[in-house]
Amino acid sequence: MTGDKITLDHGAGGGLSHELITGVVATTLGAVYVGQMEDSATVPVTTGRIAVTTDSFVVDPVFFGNGDIGKVAVAGTVNDLAVSGARPMYLTLAMIIEEGFPIADLVRILTSVRDTARAAGVSIVAGDTKVVHRGQADGIYLNTTGVGVFEPGTPDLNSRSLKPGDRVIVTGHLGDHSVHLLSLREGLGFEKRVLSDCAPLNHVVADVLAACGNGVHCVRDVTRGGLGTVLNELASASTVDLCVDAEALPVRHETKMAAEMLGVDVIYLANEGVLCVVADEASVSTAVEVLRGHPETAHTAVVGTVSAGGGHVRMRDANGRTSPVDLLYGAQLPRLC
Amino acid sequence: MTGDKITLDHGAGGGLSHELITGVVATTLGAVYVGQMEDSATVPVTTGRIAVTTDSFVVDPVFFGNGDIGKVAVAGTVNDLAVSGARPMYLTLAMIIEEGFPIADLVRILTSVRDTARAAGVSIVAGDTKVVHRGQADGIYLNTTGVGVFEPGTPDLNSRSLKPGDRVIVTGHLGDHSVHLLSLREGLGFEKRVLSDCAPLNHVVADVLAACGNGVHCVRDVTRGGLGTVLNELASASTVDLCVDAEALPVRHETKMAAEMLGVDVIYLANEGVLCVVADEASVSTAVEVLRGHPETAHTAVVGTVSAGGGHVRMRDANGRTSPVDLLYGAQLPRLC
C-alpha cells in the first residue's frame, strides 16, 4: 500500500514508485497527463521552430491562500513560453519530495497542476519523482520544463527589440504574489486582502499578438526581481533608456504598506501573473483594450516610455523629479517562486 | 563579487544572479550553452515528432571517482532520449543549490556537464538557478530535461514490442555505478576497482539501429531499479515471459562481493551507462558485434530469451533451475542517480 506519507521507497524505482506514479500522480492528473510511461514521451510538433524553458520551484510556503507550488510552477512555465510568442504545448513535471511529506498534500498540488494545465491548454508529457531524506529538502520542490511551438507569422519578440517611442505597459498590480506570500510567512496580516496574482497568461498574450501583430515588440513576465529587474534587462539588451511614471504604476495600497514594513521597494517585488508589454505608439491603445478585456489583466496601465539612450532606467515621481531604478544586486526576498 | 560560496542572493534574480549565470555558468559551459538569456530558448527542430524526457538528480555523493552529478545528469537524460530512438538535441539545466555550496564545486560540475554534453553532441538551451537555505537541500540537485527528434525511418521502439523468440542483450557489467557509489558512501573499499559506468550512449544506440533497423524491438537504459525492474516492465508491457541465464549476466567479481555484503541482489543494482537491448533472432549477432565495437559497451552479452507468456520474468541458474525475478517493491538503494 502507498500509505499516507512519502517514504524513501516511493522514489526507488520499484513497485512502490510504480504505485505512486500510476495510482496517485497519473490518476490525479487525469487527461492532462499524456505520458507513455516510457523513458521519453513522443509528441508531435507542427512547426520547425520550438521554444524551450525550464524552471525549478522552491516556493515557501508550499500552499497559500489562492494557490500552491503546483499552480505557480505550471503558470510560470506556461508564461515563460508565451512571452516568447510561442504557443505552450507540453510540460514535464519533476518532483523532489522530502521523506514524510503527506500524500494528501501531494494530491492537492497535483490537482492544481492539472487545473492550471487545463486552463492553459497544455499537456504533461513526462515526469520524474525523487525522494530525499528528511532535512534534505523543504517539503517539495518542483521542476517544470516547457515546450512550445512558433506558429508561422509569430512576431519575433525579444529583449533586444525595444525602439525609442515605444510605450511600456504593465498588466496588473505589482507585487501581489510577493505580498501575499510574505504576509503568510512573516505574519504581516495582508494575506486575506492581497491574493497572489498567479495565473497562466498564454491566452492573453495570444490575443494581444493577434490584435497588434508586429506592433508588440516585447513581452516579459514580471517574476523574481520584479518590474525593476525586467526594465533593466530590457534597457540593457536594447540599448535604450526607459522612464516609468511612479504615479502610473498599478500598486495596491496594502502592497505599499507591506513594502514599507519590510523595507523593500515595490518595483522589485515578484508577480506570477503580470506582464510587461512593450508596444509601439500605434498599437498601445489596442493592446491596452485587449488586455483590459481579460480578468487576469483588467488593471493594465501604460506606465512608461522608451527613448534613445545607453540602457538606463529612471522613475519619475509626482513632482516630475526622476531617480534611477538600478538593477538590484542581491536578494530582497528569496523563495517566492 | 561572486565570492567563493553560493549565497541566497545568487538565486534572487538580481545582479548577483546575473553575475553567477553569465560569469560562472555560461562561461564554464562555453559553446555547449546556446541559451539566449530570455525566458525561453528558441531552437529549430527538423521533424514533426519529438521526444521529451525529464529527470531530477539527487546523487549522493555529488562527486565520485570518475564523475559527478553533472555527468550523471547529462548522460541519464541523453540516454533516456536515445533509447526511444530519438536523436538527442537539446537539454535544459535547472539547479537547486544549498546556501554555502562552494562555487569551485559548481564549476567542476558544470565542466562535467559541458564535457558530457559535448561528447553526446547536445546543446544546453535554457537554465534556471534557485538557492535554498542551509539544510533545505543536500549540496546541489540538478534537473535536466531533454528534447530529441525522430528522423524519418526511425524504428518504433517501445516496451510493448517484444515478441516470442526475441533475445535479450545487456551491454555492460551490471551494478558498476551502484557499487562505486555505495562503496564511497559505506566504505566498502571497492571504489578504486569498480568505477561508475556512467556514459552517454546515444552514438552507440544510433549505430545499433542503423545496423539492425527494425530487428531491434526495444532499447532501455538500466538505471534505478536495475535490470530486474527493466525486465519486469518489459515482460508486463509486452505480455510475454522473459528468462535470463544467471551465468550469462556480465557481473564483476567485486560487485558480487559488494552485493553480498549489502544483502542486495545484483539484478536490482543501478547502472548509468548500460543498455538492455531486445532484438529478433536474425539481428542478434549484428547487434552484439556493433555493441562490442564501442568501448562503453565492449562487455555486451546475450543474456536471455523472450517466450509467449503472461508477463513473468525468471532466472535460470547454473544447474538449470529457474526462480522468479520479481518487481522490487521498495527501495534497495536510494540516491544513486
Side-chain angles (χ1 to χ4, degrees), chain A residues 1-2 8-19 21 36-58 60 77 79-84 90-96 125-133 135-138 141-143 145 147 150 157-160 218-221 223-225 229 233 237 327-335 337, chain B residues 1-2 8-19 21 36-58 60 77 79-84 90-96 125-133 135-138 141-143 145 147 150 157-160 218-221 223-225 229 233 237 327-335 337:
Chain A
M1 242 308 286
T2 302
L8 290 173
D9 285 2
H10 281 115
L16 202 59
S17 297
H18 187 74
E19 270 185 28
I21 290 161
Q36 294 120 334
M37 303 278 180
E38 300 273 343
D39 288 312
S40 296
T42 303
V43 292
V45 286
T46 48
T47 68
R49 215 158 59 98
I50 62 172
V52 182
T53 188
T54 188
D55 230 326
S56 292
F57 295 85
V58 296
D60 172 30
T77 299
N79 292 346
D80 277 344
L81 293 171
V83 298
S84 70
Y90 307 119
L91 258 55
T92 60
L93 176 69
M95 308 188 282
I96 296 174
V125 297
D128 180 59
T129 307
K130 292 290 186 317
V131 180
V132 295
H133 286 276
Q136 296 185 334
D138 186 23
Y141 300 146
L142 301 184
N143 176 281
T145 300
V147 175
F150 290 97
L157 300 174
N158 66 65
S159 305
R160 302 176 303 282
C218 182
V219 184
R220 290 286 299 269
D221 57 336
T223 57
R224 210 169 36 156
T229 303
E233 288 175 2
L327 183 60
L328 204 65
Y329 193 68
Q332 282 201 316
L333 311 157
R335 298 203 49 193
C337 44
Chain B
M1 242 308 288
T2 302
L8 290 173
D9 284 1
H10 281 114
L16 202 61
S17 297
H18 187 75
E19 271 186 29
I21 291 162
Q36 295 120 331
M37 302 281 179
E38 300 275 345
D39 287 314
S40 296
T42 304
V43 292
V45 288
T46 48
T47 68
R49 215 158 59 97
I50 62 172
V52 181
T53 187
T54 189
D55 229 326
S56 291
F57 295 86
V58 295
D60 173 28
T77 298
N79 292 345
D80 277 344
L81 293 171
V83 299
S84 68
Y90 307 118
L91 258 56
T92 60
L93 175 68
M95 309 189 281
I96 296 173
V125 297
D128 180 60
T129 306
K130 292 291 187 313
V131 180
V132 294
H133 287 275
Q136 296 185 336
D138 187 20
Y141 300 146
L142 300 184
N143 176 281
T145 299
V147 174
F150 291 97
L157 301 173
N158 66 66
S159 306
R160 302 175 303 282
C218 181
V219 184
R220 290 286 299 268
D221 58 335
T223 57
R224 208 169 37 156
T229 303
E233 288 175 1
L327 183 61
L328 204 64
Y329 192 67
Q332 282 200 316
L333 311 158
R335 299 206 46 194
C337 43

Side-chain angles (χ1 to χ4, degrees), chain A:
Chain A
M1 242 308 286
T2 302
D4 62 354
K5 290 202 186 291
I6 292 290
T7 64
L8 290 173
D9 285 2
H10 281 115
L16 202 59
S17 297
H18 187 74
E19 270 185 28
L20 182 73
I21 290 161
T22 55
V24 176
V25 181
T27 308
T28 308
L29 292 178
V32 151
Y33 177 71
V34 299
Q36 294 120 334
M37 303 278 180
E38 300 273 343
D39 288 312
S40 296
T42 303
V43 292
V45 286
T46 48
T47 68
R49 215 158 59 98
I50 62 172
V52 182
T53 188
T54 188
D55 230 326
S56 292
F57 295 85
V58 296
V59 184
D60 172 30
V62 164
F63 296 100
F64 49 86
N66 60 329
D68 58 44
I69 192 171
K71 184 178 182 183
V72 174
V74 174
T77 299
V78 162
N79 292 346
D80 277 344
L81 293 171
V83 298
S84 70
R87 181 158 66 87
M89 293 193 70
Y90 307 119
L91 258 55
T92 60
L93 176 69
M95 308 188 282
I96 296 174
I97 312 177
E98 187 182 11
E99 183 188 6
F101 192 74
I103 289 182
D105 285 356
L106 179 62
V107 170
R108 213 174 134 193
I109 292 165
L110 290 167
T111 303
S112 284
V113 166
R114 179 196 67 198
D115 293 346
T116 316
R118 199 182 278 160
V122 298
S123 302
I124 311 289
V125 297
D128 180 59
T129 307
K130 292 290 186 317
V131 180
V132 295
H133 286 276
R134 255 173 238 273
Q136 296 185 334
D138 186 23
I140 186 166
Y141 300 146
L142 301 184
N143 176 281
T144 40
T145 300
V147 175
V149 297
F150 290 97
E151 308 289 357
T154 306
D156 187 21
L157 300 174
N158 66 65
S159 305
R160 302 176 303 282
S161 305
L162 276 63
K163 302 271 179 297
D166 285 354
R167 307 299 297 276
V168 179
I169 299 165
V170 166
T171 69
H173 291 114
L174 294 182
D176 282 10
H177 182 72
S178 278
V179 168
H180 180 69
L181 265 74
L182 285 168
S183 196
L184 287 168
R185 234 155 69 181
E186 314 291 334
L188 304 183
F190 296 118
E191 68 272 14
K192 292 264 193 302
R193 282 140 68 194
V194 182
L195 292 172
S196 168
D197 53 284
C198 176
L201 298 174
N202 51 323
H203 301 310
V204 175
V205 174
D207 283 358
V208 171
L209 295 182
C212 301
N214 291 315
V216 172
H217 292 166
C218 182
V219 184
R220 290 286 299 269
D221 57 336
V222 178
T223 57
R224 210 169 36 156
L227 182 65
T229 303
V230 169
L231 295 179
N232 270 283
E233 288 175 2
L234 296 183
S236 167
S238 292
T239 325
V240 293
D241 283 354
L242 297 178
C243 186
V244 292
D245 183 355
E247 299 285 295
L249 291 175
V251 184
R252 291 182 200 275
H253 177 63
E254 291 87 346
T255 299
K256 287 184 188 160
M257 287 168 62
E260 222 160 88
M261 289 166 73
L262 293 161
V264 298
D265 193 328
V266 172
I267 201 96
Y268 302 115
L269 293 180
N271 290 94
E272 285 294 333
V274 168
L275 303 171
C276 173
V277 178
V278 182
D280 61 22
E281 181 87 50
S283 306
V284 173
S285 59
T286 306
V288 168
E289 195 186 322
V290 170
L291 288 163
R292 288 195 182 147
H294 286 272
E296 304 93 326
T297 51
H299 298 282
T300 291
V302 180
V303 304
T305 312
V306 180
S307 59
H312 300 100
V313 181
R314 298 187 72 82
M315 176 130 55
R316 184 184 292 110
D317 69 14
N319 303 314
R321 275 188 293 262
T322 70
S323 53
V325 177
D326 293 325
L327 183 60
L328 204 65
Y329 193 68
Q332 282 201 316
L333 311 157
R335 298 203 49 193
L336 295 161
C337 44

Side-chain angles (χ1 to χ4, degrees), chain B residues 42-219:
Chain B
T42 304
V43 292
V45 288
T46 48
T47 68
R49 215 158 59 97
I50 62 172
V52 181
T53 187
T54 189
D55 229 326
S56 291
F57 295 86
V58 295
V59 183
D60 173 28
V62 165
F63 296 100
F64 48 86
N66 60 329
D68 58 44
I69 192 172
K71 183 178 183 181
V72 173
V74 175
T77 298
V78 162
N79 292 345
D80 277 344
L81 293 171
V83 299
S84 68
R87 181 158 65 87
M89 293 193 71
Y90 307 118
L91 258 56
T92 60
L93 175 68
M95 309 189 281
I96 296 173
I97 312 179
E98 187 183 12
E99 183 188 6
F101 192 74
I103 290 183
D105 285 357
L106 178 61
V107 169
R108 212 173 135 193
I109 291 166
L110 290 167
T111 303
S112 284
V113 166
R114 179 195 68 197
D115 293 347
T116 315
R118 199 181 278 162
V122 298
S123 301
I124 312 291
V125 297
D128 180 60
T129 306
K130 292 291 187 313
V131 180
V132 294
H133 287 275
R134 255 173 238 274
Q136 296 185 336
D138 187 20
I140 186 167
Y141 300 146
L142 300 184
N143 176 281
T144 40
T145 299
V147 174
V149 297
F150 291 97
E151 308 288 358
T154 306
D156 186 22
L157 301 173
N158 66 66
S159 306
R160 302 175 303 282
S161 306
L162 276 62
K163 302 272 178 298
D166 285 352
R167 307 298 297 276
V168 179
I169 299 165
V170 166
T171 69
H173 292 115
L174 294 181
D176 282 9
H177 182 72
S178 278
V179 168
H180 180 70
L181 265 74
L182 285 167
S183 196
L184 286 169
R185 234 155 69 182
E186 314 289 335
L188 304 182
F190 296 117
E191 68 273 13
K192 292 265 192 301
R193 289 184 286 159
V194 183
L195 292 172
S196 168
D197 53 285
C198 176
L201 298 174
N202 52 322
H203 302 310
V204 174
V205 174
D207 283 359
V208 171
L209 296 182
C212 302
N214 291 314
V216 172
H217 292 166
C218 181
V219 184

